[in-house]
């Protein structure tokens, strides 16, 4: 069969249209017919699987285009599916498949009225994300981009009666629209003053920009997409919106929506603008390294589980940007193979983060459902009540901590391998900076592992810290339900698959790199076979997750056999060592704040810390500690105060007297006459 004859773009558009129909059908939810959770969410998951299959086919095909007679007069909707778009549709497909089936169980307790609105916005959100990737003109792209922002805003503010939820939603919408304005200006520059036809991506590719205007377009695109991705210092909405949203929505936003911004960066930097410079790449890589460090350091200070995961999204966006930035540096300095490796590393981590962050948010949602808790300091011992959730959450925690043989290790290892290509660079400054970025990446990875030791140890191990919460939440039930388990199991399976068979994934990503930048990995890397992952040449580095996994299993088996056969399986049960304190209680266990104390001491100047340590004679001693985002006070609050000040001064114009307004009109008329003259 001719691969070009397979109608990938038509089927992908059909899936988006199906999600729109599901959004419309959600309005027919009733008390008797649980249409949304029993039919539409599972159907949406099935459509996601179809989209994932079609997307894999699209990666192996040449680009396909489609023009729909919709939109503005003279500017119909242009759609295009090429290997880059296929990769991101695959990410959307496999991520949303698990989340949608999870949502079918998560939302089954919602009232029909709330479920109607959630179903409407949820499926519209999915359709908008797919159309962002399929858009082939600036008009459709911005329509889909704004639809995505509005649908996600309504999902974030599902509990809109709470003031903090409304505040989080407003902040998200504000930053999203600031980013959208930057993107509009970027497309305006790329369009170069032509007619409506000049807004198609084909026309934007052909536009010839001077280096100055190309740099302005790059800065606007980087800021606009960076605001959506949660890049520092535009990250402020992310730790507010993710905890406010229902958990499946948090998983969609963090796992998938942030990646549409990465798609936009790659599309605009590599494809639409082209001719990347090493200065652009270095800007992206340094911003990524700072974002990664910032995200993980603040994640370590959190005790709200969803807020902690949100800061880790900031960190992982930073890791992705390091890979993309290094890729741009190597391309601009004449090393396309190393550039392809950096792009592949960044895209691989984009896919991995969509999987394991979605899984972790779903795990947090199951904990919230079962216990009503988000504060780590109130949890403990959940592994006994929720063994299935504990297992899936452990897979996600190991994956995000980049432990082999799971998927997080592969993409971070490829990023390190890209940095090790620094010897190719002739510029001494660049050659010195790249290892520094790799060192920051290594530090961020170590701190991530520490953070998830804290999360898993405090939430799932030990004893429940606050018995009153356990008794209050006892009526909520035990472990995750059937649909929730399937959703988490699906994403956990992909954590393993993407970690065990990286060569296959890298082979697909090489097609994406070739389609975007015209060159890919060296032949020696592509011919290494499925068993070995070779980033550049085998004599430099290679990795076999299958052999690594077999080694782990053999060591585990020999240990088990040794204990079983040499010591005859003798088992002695006794009380655990109590460190000389026989009267231990659950409140004597380590807390989230205590776990992060060493990091708080070392990186103290980065945080804005407010706390109170009780005096020895305090009759009611209580320790208080609050770690706040320093950028919020250094950047956002001054801007907010300045806007309030300006608005207050402008508000003086409103006097409520007709004579004053007539005077305004008279002065304006005189000014216009003088201007015209």
């Amino acid at each position: 069969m001719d691969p070009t004859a397979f109608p990938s773009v038509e089927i992908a558009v059909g899936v988006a249209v199906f999600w729109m129909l599901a959004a419309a059908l959600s309005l027919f939810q009733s008390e008797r017919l649980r249409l949304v959770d029993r039919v539409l969410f599972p159907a949406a998951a099935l459509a996601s699987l179809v989209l994932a299959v079609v997307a894999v086919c699209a990666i192996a095909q040449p680009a396909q285009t489609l023009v729909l007679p919709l939109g503005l007069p003279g500017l119909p909707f242009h759609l295009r599916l090429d290997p880059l778009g296929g990769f991101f549709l695959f990410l959307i497909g496999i991520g949303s498949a698990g989340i949608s089936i999870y949502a079918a169980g998560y939302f089954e307790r919602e009232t029909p009225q709330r479920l109607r609105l959630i179903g409407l916005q949820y499926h519209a959100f999915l359709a908008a994300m797919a159309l962002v990737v399929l858009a082939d003109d600036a008009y459709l792209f911005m329509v889909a981009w704004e639809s995505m922002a509005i649908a996600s805003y309504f999902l974030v503010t599902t509990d809109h009666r709470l003031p903090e939820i409304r505040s989080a939603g407003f902040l998200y919408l504000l930053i999203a629209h600031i980013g959208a304005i930057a993107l509009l200006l970027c497309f305006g520059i790329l369009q170069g003053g032509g007619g409506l036809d000049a807004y198609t991506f084909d026309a934007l590719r052909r536009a010839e920009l001077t280096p100055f205007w190309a740099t302005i377009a790059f800065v606007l695109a980087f800021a606009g997409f960076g605001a959506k991705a949660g890049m520092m210092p535009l990250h402020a909405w992310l730790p507010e919106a993710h905890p406010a949203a229902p958990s499946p929505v948090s998983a969609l936003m963090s796992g998938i929506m942030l990646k549409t911004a990465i798609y936009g960066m790659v599309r605009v930097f590599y494809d639409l603008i082209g001719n990347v410079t090493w200065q652009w790449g270095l800007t992206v890589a340094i911003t990524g390294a700072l974002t990664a460090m910032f995200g993980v350091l603040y994640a370590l200070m959190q005790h709200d589980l969803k807020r902690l995961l949100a800061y880790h999204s900031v960190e992982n966006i930073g890791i992705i940007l390091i890979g993309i930035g290094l890729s741009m540096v190597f391309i601009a300095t004449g090393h396309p193979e190393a550039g392809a490796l950096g792009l592949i590393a960044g895209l691989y981590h984009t896919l991995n983060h969509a999987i394991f962050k979605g899984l972790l948010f779903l795990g947090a949602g199951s904990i919230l459902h079962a216990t009503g808790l988000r504060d780590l300091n109130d949890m403990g011992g959940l592994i006994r009540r929720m063994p299935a959730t504990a297992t899936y959450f452990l897979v996600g925690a190991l994956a995000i901590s980049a432990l082999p043989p799971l998927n997080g290790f592969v993409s971070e290892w490829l990023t390190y391998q890209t940095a090790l290509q620094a010897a190719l660079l002739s510029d001494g400054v660049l050659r010195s900076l790249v290892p520094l970025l790799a060192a920051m990446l290594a530090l961020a990875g170590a701190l991530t592992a520490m953070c998830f030791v804290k999360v898993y140890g405090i939430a799932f191990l030990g004893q429940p810290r606050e018995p009153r919460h356990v008794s209050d939440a006892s009526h909520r039930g035990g472990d995750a339900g059937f649909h929730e388990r399937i959703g988490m199991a699906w994403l956990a399976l992909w954590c393993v698959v993407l970690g065990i068979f990286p060569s296959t994934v890298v082979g697909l990503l090489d097609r994406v790199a070739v389609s975007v930048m015209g060159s890919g990995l060296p032949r020696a890397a592509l011919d290494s076979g499925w068993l070995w992952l070779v980033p550049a040449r085998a004599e430099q580095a290679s990795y076999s997750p299958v052999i690594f996994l077999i080694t782990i299993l053999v060591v585990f088996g020999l240990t088990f056999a040794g204990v079983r056969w040499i010591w005859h399986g003798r088992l002695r049960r006794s009380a655990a060592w109590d460190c000389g304190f026989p009267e231990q209680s659950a409140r004597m266990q380590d807390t989230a704040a205590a776990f992060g104390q060493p990091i708080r001491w070392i990186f103290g100047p980065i945080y804005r810390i407010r706390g109170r340590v009780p005096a020895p004679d305090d009759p009611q001693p209580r320790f208080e500690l609050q770690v706040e985002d320093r950028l919020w006070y250094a950047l956002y609050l001054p801007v907010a105060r300045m806007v309030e000040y300006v608005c207050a001064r402008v508000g003086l114009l409103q006097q409520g007297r007709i004579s004053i307004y007539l005077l305004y009109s008279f002065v304006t008329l005189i000014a216009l006459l003088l201007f015209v003259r």
Side-chain angles (χ1 to χ4, degrees), residues 221-348:
F222 191 41
F225 290 121
K228 180 67 78 178
M231 175 185 76
M232 191 188 77
L234 303 171
H235 67 283
W237 66 270
L238 210 145
E240 303 297 328
H242 283 359
S247 293
V249 177
S250 303
L252 269 187
M253 293 179 70
S254 182
I256 300 177
M257 187 191 74
L258 301 187
K259 310 310 179 307
T260 60
I262 301 299
Y263 163 78
M265 288 186 190
V266 176
R267 177 67 74 190
V268 173
F269 296 169
Y270 290 79
D271 188 17
L272 300 188
I273 300 179
N275 298 322
V276 298
T277 68
W278 66 264
Q279 291 91 343
W280 300 357
L282 195 60
T283 302
V284 174
I286 291 176
T287 305
L290 294 176
T291 300
M293 285 301 302
F294 179 88
V296 71
L297 286 175
Y298 271 88
L300 269 164
M301 295 300 111
Q302 306 306 313
H303 50 82
D304 182 311
L305 180 55
K306 292 184 72 175
R307 195 175 175 86
L308 179 148
L309 294 177
Y311 270 111
H312 270 295
S313 293
V314 176
E315 178 227 346
N316 280 277
I317 288 297
I319 294 174
I320 294 167
L321 292 182
I322 291 175
I324 294 175
L326 291 178
S327 165
M328 295 168 72
V329 168
F330 284 113
I331 292 171
T333 52
H335 305 287
E337 292 180 347
L341 178 58
L343 181 61
I344 288 171
L347 293 179
Y348 207 142

Side-chain angles (χ1 to χ4, degrees), residues 93-142:
I94 63 170
S96 63
I99 296 170
S100 293
I101 199 70
Y102 178 94
Y106 188 87
F107 289 126
E108 65 181 1
R109 301 169 194 168
E110 294 286 352
T111 62
Q113 185 178 5
R114 278 170 58 96
L115 194 54
R116 188 181 298 133
L117 296 176
I118 290 173
L120 170 67
Q121 302 299 340
Y122 182 92
H123 295 101
F125 187 31
L126 289 178
M129 288 191 291
L131 288 176
V132 164
V133 176
L134 288 168
D136 196 32
D137 62 64
Y139 174 52
L140 176 58
F141 185 90
M142 291 308 302

